[in-house]
Amino acid sequence: MCTPIKIVCEGGTGEVVEKKSRFIANVFPVHSEEEALEYITQIRKKHYDARHNCFAYVIGEKNETERCSDDGEPSGTAGRPMMDVITGQGLHDVLVVVTRYFGGTLLGTGGLVRAYSAAVKAGLENCTIQEKRKGHLMILKTDYNGLGKIQYIAANMEIEEKDSVYGEGVELTYIVPVEKVEAFEREITEKTGGRTEIDRGEETWIYWNI
């Protein structure tokens, strides 16, 4: 069984206001620590007049790299709560920077934790999140008698049809998770009496929007 991996494929921004303090979250997909640090530098330059630019990022399929910073906020009130939101949603290869413009009223540790967590969630709501898993782009060539059988099998196994080409015969392309490939091939061969030409294709990462 190949465990799906959730990633941010397109970043976004979100903002919350708590007692006149503004918390602005910027979310970025990242694939290296160098890339994450570059984005953090960019945000600090953009919001040079802000009191805090806190961050959290995770990189790697198993979150081999995890870093977070309170950037001057009381220890444990910003970076760690931000990290908890990221890991709690099962995300990988993502950076969140939350910029705080102080509104003149102290929020206390509990208020800061809630505000930074809420800002991250607001930012993630405006991102495009995908799930990636190992799979194959399988191409099936069959006659029109086999078309309905193949589509029924695919629907029953929750396998997504990516493309179809109709001519003298039918060419169907399916996105098949690696753990379903053999069962799918077996069902197709059996139900179409071996009259379907199956090209499994190479194993690759397959992406789904979620």
Side-chain angles (χ1 to χ4, degrees), residues 1-2 54 72 75 89 104 145 152 156 161 164 175 182 191:
M1 181 71 177
C2 179
C54 307
S75 179
Q89 294 196 19
N145 290 328
Y152 174 81
N156 192 50
E161 182 179 312
S164 57
I175 301 173
E182 291 188 4
K191 295 299 191 296

Side-chain angles (χ1 to χ4, degrees), residues 84-103:
D84 289 344
V85 174
I86 293 172
T87 57
Q89 294 196 19
L91 292 170
H92 302 259
D93 295 336
V94 61
L95 159 71
V96 182
V97 184
V98 176
T99 300
R100 181 191 182 190
Y101 284 95
F102 185 56

